[in-house]
Amino acid sequence: MMTIQAIREWAWLRLAIVYTRYLLGGAFVFASIVKIKGLRFTTLSGADAAVHSPLHFFETMYQSGLYWQFIGVAQCVVGLLLLTQRFATLGAVLFLPIMTSIFVITISYDFAGTPIVTGLMLLANLLLLAWDWPTLRVLVGLPAQAVPALPRATTHLWEGVGAVLFAYTAGYRAFTEAYNFLLWAGICGLVGGLGLLVAWWLHRKAAGSGTGIGDEASPGSIA
């Protein structure tokens, strides 16, 4: 019978977890900076919008001032934790209440297809929590389970990619008012792709040098 430890050795699943963290963390950082700057989330004012409408809701949140910026700071911190990979478990835990709130908001108003996006983000968050369950067991009074450590080289690689994604996303949103979403997503995709190529190169290099099981040539070492 396959164990959780055996499943965690699957390279493709490890990569899926790493890049899911990048996706969710990057999205939160992208959405947070405009709030920290004290600007509207949308380009339109909702002051004259219908009471039960998304624009009116966002306008009310925006007019709160400090609370609006607090939401932005919370999203930015959680996004950064996910992007670091090292502190991603804490990030996934903190992501849950924020994402649940956002999802409920989108189904409470006429957001068209937005609930599909927020629902998928919430589902991805639950996947991350399931992945980290061996560590999170302590929250329900169960002993934590040991998980296999990643090779040092790939650990530093994923942390480095996360740092680049955070710096680029935060910088782009901080210094740009009229942003280009496709440009941001494209460059993030390029950074993520380069990270994957480097991970593949490290894996091939370790395998070529005859490294044994338990280090960089072991199954799943690419992630």
Side-chain angles (χ1 to χ4, degrees):
M1 183 176 181
M2 187 165 295
T3 64
I4 294 178
Q5 286 77 8
I7 293 175
R8 291 179 65 93
E9 290 291 339
W10 295 349
W12 67 268
L13 187 54
R14 284 188 172 185
L15 286 172
I17 295 298
V18 167
Y19 280 84
T20 297
R21 290 168 176 166
Y22 288 154
L23 183 62
L24 296 184
F28 256 31
V29 174
F30 184 87
S32 70
I33 303 301
V34 67
K35 300 183 182 74
I36 296 174
K37 293 166 65 176
L39 301 177
R40 287 183 175 88
F41 185 70
T42 60
T43 56
L44 301 175
S45 171
D48 299 323
V51 174
H52 193 74
S53 67
L55 273 179
H56 183 272
F57 174 81
F58 281 127
E59 184 67 21
T60 301
M61 300 284 280
Y62 163 72
Q63 292 294 343
S64 68
L66 180 60
Y67 180 61
W68 182 244
Q69 291 178 304
F70 169 76
I71 295 173
V73 171
Q75 284 186 306
C76 188
V77 170
V78 172
L80 175 59
L81 289 172
L82 285 171
L83 289 172
T84 63
Q85 300 295 329
R86 182 185 294 266
F87 304 107
T89 300
L90 177 59
V93 172
L94 297 177
F95 193 94
L96 182 61
I98 300 176
M99 195 64 238
T100 301
S101 177
I102 293 173
F103 175 68
V104 173
I105 288 170
T106 58
I107 63 176
S108 300
Y109 291 85
D110 184 17
F111 274 90
T114 305
I116 298 176
V117 177
T118 57
L120 289 174
M121 292 179 69
L122 182 58
L123 185 62
N125 182 201
L126 294 175
L127 172 64
L128 294 183
L129 293 174
W131 175 262
D132 289 324
W133 176 245
T135 302
L136 296 175
R137 283 160 47 96
V138 296
L139 298 178
V140 294
L142 298 175
Q145 294 178 335
V147 295
L150 293 177
R152 185 178 296 108
T154 50
T155 296
H156 292 335
L157 170 64
W158 300 130
E159 291 174 353
V161 171
V164 172
L165 290 174
F166 175 78
Y168 167 64
T169 300
Y172 180 67
R173 290 295 274 144
F175 297 104
T176 305
E177 299 297 334
Y179 66 88
N180 185 319
F181 180 81
L182 292 179
L183 174 64
W184 167 75
I187 293 180
C188 286
L190 178 61
V191 172
L194 288 174
L196 191 59
L197 285 176
V198 173
W200 175 82
W201 177 78
L202 289 173
H203 178 66
R204 290 293 299 272
K205 180 181 178 182
S209 64
T211 310
I213 297 297
D215 41 39
E216 292 187 4
S218 62
S221 65
I222 191 174

